[in-house]
Amino acid sequence: MKSVKDLMMRQPDEIKGEKLYEGKAKALYRTPVDGVMLMEFKDDATAFDGKKKGTIVEKGYFNAKISAILLRYLEECGIQTHFIDQMAERYHLVSELDMLSVEVVMRNIAAGSLARRLGFEEGQVMAYPILEFYYKDDALSDPWLNASHIKAMDLATDDEVLCLEEKGRQVNEYLQRFLQPRGLQLVDFKLEFGRDSEGVLILGDEITPDTCRFWDVGSGDKLDKDRFRQDLGDVEDAYKEVLRRVSQEVPLCG
Ligand code: TMP
Ligand code: ASP
């Protein structure tokens, strides 16, 4: 097997090489093609740093499809991503990246830890989208970071930090343009980036109801992992509804 085309003609189990990573929501495997990885989307879910554990039926199926649609769309907008193609129902072929240990969170509306930390009322619209960095470290519970922490800890260069800020804001604009006409308010979301073999920062990971907060534009109903975190019920239905909406063909606004 030499190319992505060869990989796409096989079943995921036939091309699964060494497992490089397994987390709660995803696993990552080598494939026989250099620089191409297989990402598996799982049904397991955790919240509150793993204190709450569970399974969301068919989450892997919904998330693989939702993320494929959103990453493809971002590629069309000119944002380079690791996404190559979807395989079977729960797998993506992705390019190999050297992932940064920094998460980029964008927030348009107060919710979650922002509401808790700074005392905003949930639902308060931010006058300017807030960009935050977090350190990916389970033992430290993914603490908040600023640019000087990133520099001091050598997690990224100054230019890379600027690039993360620029891309975080661009992705926020593009995603809102896509989601708003589909009746989804983008409250906040988390992105992860990695360096390709030439050192260029590329968007990796996933964009799904696990990593974003989506509220119904009309009712404000939560259509994301907060339904699991907060025991709101109808968790699977929310993921299914997000997939239905992002699959809709509607004109872009803005
Ligand atoms: P937070 O309000 O808990 O800080 O989360 C902000 C956004 O980032 C929310 O959309 C969920 C997402 N997120 C992740 O994808 N992974 C994480 O580990 C955390 C803490 C948040
Ligand atoms: N995924 C994280 C955890 O496992 C945080 C979250 O999504 O709430 O705790």
Side-chain angles (χ1 to χ4, degrees), residues 165-211:
E165 287 174 345
E166 188 185 32
K167 284 193 197 282
R169 293 196 180 277
Q170 283 174 343
V171 169
N172 188 35
E173 289 292 320
Y174 291 135
L175 286 181
Q176 288 187 85
R177 258 185 245 173
F178 184 87
L179 296 165
Q180 191 73 19
R182 289 168 175 83
L184 293 172
Q185 197 156 38
L186 182 61
V187 174
D188 57 31
F189 60 97
K190 183 255 318 180
L191 300 175
E192 294 187 32
F193 293 83
R195 302 177 185 115
D196 70 7
S197 53
E198 262 126 55
V200 177
L201 275 191
I202 309 280
L203 178 60
D205 200 49
E206 63 179 305
I207 304 183
T208 65
D210 277 9
T211 64

Side-chain angles (χ1 to χ4, degrees), residues 103 105 107 111-114 116 134 142 188-190 210-213 229:
E103 297 181 341
V105 168
R107 303 179 184 269
S113 69
L114 177 73
R116 281 196 299 277
Y134 289 87
D142 293 359
D188 57 31
F189 60 97
K190 183 255 318 180
D210 277 9
T211 64
C212 305
R213 286 193 173 93
R229 293 189 188 97

Side-chain angles (χ1 to χ4, degrees), residues 24 45-52 142 210 213 225 229:
K24 285 83 67 174
T46 64
F48 312 117
D49 292 323
K51 285 184 209 72
K52 183 181 170 97
D142 293 359
D210 277 9
R213 286 193 173 93
K225 195 171 142 187
R229 293 189 188 97

Side-chain angles (χ1 to χ4, degrees), residues 49 135-143:
D49 292 323
Y135 182 34
K136 272 177 72 76
D137 187 312
D138 283 341
L140 296 175
S141 307
D142 293 359

